[in-house]
Amino acid sequence: MRKRLSDGYITEIGSDGLIRCRPRPRRPSYRAPWRGLFLSVITIICIKGALIAHLGMSDYTTRVERLERGTTIDRVGAVLMHPEPLSLGIAKKLGPFL
């Protein structure tokens, strides 16, 4: 009982006036890392936008096309590095600063 109460407990006063402690309900041990996945996707999109703004669209597309002709890992990278509207918008905003 001490082991279960060491992770946290809830105290209640019963109808007879006795104070009882019961273990706090456990959370599931596996939780999907949604926050980390979301931040990773946002980071990749921002990096793509910065690359497009820095290299220019024509140079960026030639580099992605070169990746498409490479090995399997290069082709996976090319799929991830294709410009989408969000990264193009970020590139447009960053363009004057780079």
Side-chain angles (χ1 to χ4, degrees):
M1 186 64 157
R2 276 191 195 147
K3 173 79 171 119
R4 289 184 13 215
L5 291 174
S6 67
D7 291 332
Y9 57 90
I10 300 171
T11 55
E12 299 173 330
I13 299 178
S15 60
D16 56 358
L18 218 64
I19 298 174
R20 293 188 181 105
C21 297
R22 62 182 176 92
R24 187 175 299 271
R26 290 185 181 258
R27 292 184 180 163
S29 61
Y30 174 76
R31 293 184 348 190
W34 297 116
R35 184 176 179 188
L37 288 173
F38 177 74
L39 291 176
S40 298
V41 168
I42 293 298
T43 303
I44 289 171
I45 290 172
C46 289
I47 288 172
K48 285 189 332 186
L51 278 172
I52 293 170
H54 179 70
L55 297 173
M57 191 61 187
S58 62
D59 192 25
Y60 184 80
T61 53
T62 55
R63 289 177 187 227
V64 171
E65 288 170 358
R66 194 171 15 167
L67 277 176
E68 288 174 344
R69 293 187 303 266
T71 64
T72 305
I73 294 175
D74 290 341
R75 282 182 263 163
V76 170
V79 168
L80 292 175
M81 294 306 286
H82 272 288
E84 75 279 337
L86 195 56
S87 61
L88 292 174
I90 290 172
K92 225 179 248 187
K93 296 281 185 187
L94 287 178
F97 299 109
L98 294 178

